[in-house]
Amino acid sequence: MIWATVLFFILLFLNMPVAFAIGIAGLVFFMTTPDLPSFLIVQQMATGTQSFPLLAVPFFVLAGHILNASGITYRLLRFANLLTRHLVGGLAHASIALTTMMGGISGSATADAAMQSRILTNDMLQRGYSKGYSVGIISVSSLITAALPPSIGLILYGFIGGVSISKLFLAGIIPGLLMAVILMAASYLVAKKEGYDQTQEFEKPSLLEVLKGLKDCIWAILFPIILIVGIRFGIFSASEGGAVAVVYATLIGFVVYRELNWTKLKSVITDAVSDTSMIMLIISAAGILGYIFSYENLPRFASDFITGITEQPTLLLFIVLLFVFLVGLFIEATAVMLLMTPLFLPVVIEIGYDPVAFGIIMVILVTMGGMTPPVGVTMFAVSSITKTSIAEYTKGSLPFLGAIIVLIVLLVIFPQISLYLPNLLLE
């Protein structure tokens, strides 16, 4: 086990793709454990992907790509800019508002941040915002997509931990909206301090302008509402909701907005297959680790070790989350979710903390690792697109990362924030 673990981290630091690092380390473990037949490694890789809830992943990934190709993104951006143009730091608020509305569409923080950095950064720089502030708020605000349905992270957590995905979808709504409010407050304070958008050259939008803007993008805003209502009233499950999302997105693209054509659809399907393949390959490799964890009884070892530090439940939870965050600084979010959930979810349940509330916190925290040095995927994406140095990005993003940490502390201390909607609608 020790040699396999050492090899795994060596391969990671050599920049080998996570799925291959897991698979090779798992193979070494099986080869060095005499009483384990080698065919089990193939069996566990296949078994790891054979689950009905996982059908939601390719469906929601495809639906997000179709909706983005349907012209919805630019309609939402115009509406977000309309609502926030008169505020101090207006374009930063527009980015946050756009992410909140896009959260029910893309399901991916990195995809959302990359898209916004392409279409918003130049405008923000022309308005006098610093590059660090601009890319920092675009990157960190994309974290909202981790909480709002149909978050891919929530689907994976629910699949690995055996937690209701429907409850997780509902539980993420209030924390996602709170995240938007906290980030807007932080962006306002920084903009006020740095003197961004102080002239207030834009007027507050009239009711007529708001209604007109809402009409233009109503089909995008209806998407997550239809999803939640359908799950709540048992019309379809969370996994089946993915198929509904694909049909909905296709109809909007071809019939309503008429911006989707067969050439775009072909490109969209290619991108969706690529994204899904990457996720499923990691899940398949994680099936090997799941078996190794069970064989070595690592969940029990982790539980005994952490509970031996202190018996105070809240402190234990913070220790678990700190460990998860530190791992997330070096490993891609999907892999962290698949590695850490089977290790720490039993510990969390043992201390009496709700697994749904923990899932929301864990998904937010793990995704945040992608926005921080040294190897954050989202950080590298926006920095590369905008040609921003890591030092400048880090300085600009710190106030917003601090705001997210405040939110995480609140969610840990008051799990009722996350559990309110699941308890109200599904009990």
Side-chain angles (χ1 to χ4, degrees):
M1 182 64 186
I2 295 175
W3 288 112
T5 303
V6 171
L7 178 61
F8 171 68
F9 284 105
I10 289 174
L11 293 175
L12 279 183
F13 284 111
L14 290 175
N15 290 323
M16 177 172 284
V18 174
F20 290 102
I22 294 173
I24 292 172
L27 180 62
V28 168
F29 176 83
F30 274 81
M31 291 176 64
T32 55
T33 307
D35 54 339
L36 286 179
S38 57
F39 69 82
L40 270 179
I41 193 168
V42 178
Q43 186 183 78
Q44 292 305 314
M45 288 184 71
T47 302
T49 61
Q50 304 305 302
S51 172
F52 180 73
L54 279 183
L55 286 174
V57 174
F59 280 132
F60 280 122
V61 169
L62 177 58
H65 280 290
I66 294 174
L67 286 170
N68 283 337
S70 301
I72 279 179
T73 300
Y74 289 98
R75 287 176 170 83
L76 287 174
L77 176 58
R78 285 200 301 266
F79 185 53
N81 194 35
L82 172 70
L83 295 176
T84 61
R85 67 187 184 188
H86 61 290
L87 301 174
V88 173
L91 279 178
H93 298 310
S95 173
I96 298 166
L98 176 59
T99 301
T100 305
M101 291 186 284
M102 284 286 293
I105 296 175
S106 69
S108 167
T110 302
D112 181 83
M115 176 272 298
Q116 287 205 41
S117 63
R118 288 188 180 95
I119 63 179
L120 273 179
T121 304
N122 286 337
D123 289 341
M124 295 175 85
L125 294 178
Q126 289 173 7
R127 289 266 284 268
Y129 299 6
S130 71
K131 185 176 279 190
Y133 175 84
S134 303
V135 297
I137 190 59
I138 287 173
S139 176
V140 178
S141 66
S142 69
L143 188 57
I144 296 170
T145 64
L148 295 177
S151 162
I152 302 300
L154 292 179
I155 295 172
L156 294 179
Y157 172 83
F159 161 68
I160 295 294
V163 181
S164 168
I165 295 175
S166 299
K167 286 187 175 181
L168 288 168
F169 277 2
L170 288 171
I173 293 174
I174 293 179
L177 297 177
L178 274 178
M179 200 184 307
V181 172
I182 288 176
L183 286 175
M184 282 187 170
S187 64
Y188 172 84
L189 292 174
V190 175
K192 195 77 172 176
K193 177 184 176 183
E194 300 295 333
Y196 303 144
D197 278 349
Q198 299 295 304
T199 58
Q200 298 297 290
E201 56 184 293
F202 298 105
E203 295 181 359
K204 187 176 181 180
S206 66
L207 179 60
L208 184 61
E209 286 180 303
V210 172
L211 292 176
K212 185 178 179 181
L214 180 61
K215 179 183 176 182
D216 198 34
C217 60
I218 188 65
W219 294 106
I221 295 172
L222 279 176
F223 172 65
I225 296 174
I226 291 171
L227 182 66
I228 295 301
V229 170
I231 292 172
R232 165 62 184 88
F233 291 100
I235 301 172
F236 45 76
S237 67
S239 299
E240 293 164 344
V244 172
V246 171
V247 174
Y248 179 88
T250 305
L251 289 174
I252 296 303
F254 275 111
V255 179
V256 180
Y257 292 146
R258 299 182 181 179
E259 293 189 21
L260 186 65
N261 53 45
W262 294 109
T263 302
K264 283 185 177 180
L265 185 61
K266 180 181 177 181
S267 176
V268 158
I269 292 174
T270 300
D271 292 341
V273 168
S274 176
D275 290 349
T276 302
S277 299
M278 177 187 66
I279 295 170
M280 296 306 292
L281 186 59
I282 295 174
I283 292 173
S284 179
I288 304 170
L289 281 183
Y291 183 86
I292 294 174
F293 286 172
S294 176
Y295 181 82
E296 293 286 341
N297 202 22
L298 288 182
R300 172 50 57 185
F301 174 79
S303 175
D304 291 343
F305 175 77
I306 291 175
T307 53
I309 297 175
T310 177
E311 295 182 356
Q312 214 288 325
T314 303
L315 183 56
L316 278 174
L317 187 58
F318 277 116
I319 292 172
V320 168
L321 293 174
L322 177 61
F323 186 83
V324 169
F325 176 67
L326 292 175
V327 173
L329 293 178
F330 300 95
I331 305 178
E332 194 270 333
T334 303
V336 177
M337 192 69 60
L338 296 169
L339 291 170
M340 298 294 104
T341 300
L343 272 181
F344 291 124
L345 185 56
V347 178
V348 170
I349 294 174
E350 186 174 319
I351 64 176
Y353 202 84
D354 190 278
V356 173
F358 176 71
I360 302 301
I361 299 166
M362 183 172 179
V363 169
I364 293 173
L365 195 60
V366 166
T367 308
M368 189 172 74
M371 296 154 193
T372 58
V375 291
V377 176
T378 306
M379 174 190 71
F380 283 134
V382 298
S383 297
S384 174
I385 291 168
T386 61
K387 295 179 173 57
T388 305
S389 69
I390 300 302
E392 191 175 8
Y393 165 87
T394 302
K395 181 180 178 181
S397 64
L398 280 177
F400 310 117
L401 292 172
I404 298 299
I405 291 172
V406 170
L407 174 65
I408 289 173
V409 172
L410 287 174
L411 293 178
V412 170
I413 297 174
F414 304 105
Q416 302 89 342
I417 295 172
S418 300
L419 298 176
Y420 177 75
L421 285 181
N423 291 341
L424 178 68
L425 299 177
L426 294 181
E427 291 297 329

